[in-house]
Amino acid sequence: GRGSGAPRPVADGPAATAFAAGLPLPGADRQLAGFPVATAGPVDLPVAGAGVGWAGEFLDMPPHTIDDVLDINVLATLRLVRLLLPGMVAAGSGRVVLIGSLAGSVAVRDEAVYSAAKAAIGAFADSLRYELRGTGVGVTHVVPGVVDTPFFERRGAPYQRSRPRPVPPERVADAVRAAVDRGRDEVYVPSWLRLPCRVRGAAPGLYRRLAARFG
Ligand SMILES: NC(=O)c1ccc[n+]([C@@H]2O[C@H](COP(=O)([O-])OP(=O)(O)OC[C@H]3O[C@@H](n4cnc5c(N)ncnc54)[C@H](OP(=O)(O)O)[C@@H]3O)[C@@H](O)[C@H]2O)c1
């Protein structure tokens, strides 16, 4: 996160230290990638979860917010992985965890740029996984639906649908832990959300008609 100030220990729980960095800023990715290596040793499980949303019609979107959404969700994430991967491949172990979104997997209305950004993360995860076969380094793409966090308040538009119902963030954390333990490539939270993605994959025309009609 952006936060402020010097690295600080995180209370309660396993030994942890927070390092704040405004990610799209020049050099921040390098600082962030270097910090754990300098303080705790090589990184073996980066979880790339920094992200921002923007909701509303694409035609109403101020152009600079397009950059913001892509900068943090896509560019900062890819750059950070680019900096951390060589060490992981050299060690021959570890896992890159990328937090995508259902919006990226099915493309939702009024989130055109966010959907495109998260779709990019999904494609990146799949492509990178092929490349890393045989290196000992895995890639997990996490696809949450709706999570009860300040995300919606921060993007300036509350979550208004009744379904999918928001899940607590701990549920995503548990899913990440389980996916890492089991070496899974893709995980949906909650898991039933893989269904609409499968329908869209198998019958895109039908999915588009249903989505246009029922939102
Ligand atoms: N909430 C949902 O329904 C939902 C659903 C699907 C996917 N996701 C994804 O889940 C991830 C976590 O989101 P969340 O729900 O936990 O939202 P959140 O509470 O708004 O958290 C967003 C996180 O991203 C960090 N961040 C944002 N802009 C940053 C920047 N410029 N530089 C560095 N860090 C930055 C924030 O750090 P600071 O707090 O320091 O700003 C915070 O840690 C995101 O990738 C989001 O797209 C969320």
Side-chain angles (χ1 to χ4, degrees):
R2 283 155 288 193
S4 64
R8 59 190 161 78
V10 176
D12 305 330
T17 307
F19 177 78
L23 267 178
L25 300 177
D29 47 4
R30 230 161 243 291
Q31 286 177 348
L32 185 58
F35 172 70
V37 180
T39 54
V43 176
D44 58 357
L45 184 63
V47 179
V52 293
W54 198 91
E57 297 201 347
F58 180 65
L59 284 173
D60 292 336
M61 200 169 175
H64 72 91
T65 55
I66 299 177
D67 297 39
D68 293 344
V69 170
L70 291 172
D71 274 353
I72 179 72
N73 291 295
V74 184
L75 292 179
T77 300
L78 269 49
R79 289 207 184 106
L80 198 58
V81 174
R82 177 66 184 85
L83 288 168
L84 292 172
L85 254 186
M88 298 173 68
V89 171
S93 65
R95 180 160 288 271
V96 176
V97 178
L98 301 166
I99 310 292
S101 169
L102 184 67
S105 297
V106 299
V108 299
R109 188 192 159 138
D110 289 343
E111 296 186 40
V113 177
Y114 181 71
S115 296
K118 291 300 193 179
I121 293 300
F124 173 66
D126 280 348
S127 175
L128 188 63
R129 195 179 301 112
Y130 294 130
E131 178 180 331
L132 293 176
R133 268 185 78 174
T135 64
V137 180
V139 179
T140 295
H141 179 216
V142 182
V143 187
V146 183
V147 190
D148 189 8
T149 70
F151 177 85
F152 300 96
E153 204 182 304
R154 286 176 156 185
R155 74 175 186 182
Y159 179 65
Q160 280 175 323
R161 293 161 196 265
S162 54
R163 247 163 249 264
R165 250 187 252 269
V167 299
E170 291 76 15
R171 194 139 161 209
V172 182
D174 290 346
V176 168
R177 192 177 320 205
V180 170
D181 286 346
R182 292 172 204 157
R184 289 181 56 188
D185 291 342
E186 190 158 65
V187 53
Y188 293 81
V189 195
S191 53
W192 68 265
L193 284 177
R194 81 164 58 91
L195 263 172
C197 299
R198 286 211 175 136
V199 172
R200 183 173 184 258
L206 171 69
Y207 181 89
R208 278 197 285 268
R209 282 197 296 279
L210 289 171
R213 175 133 184 224
F214 300 108

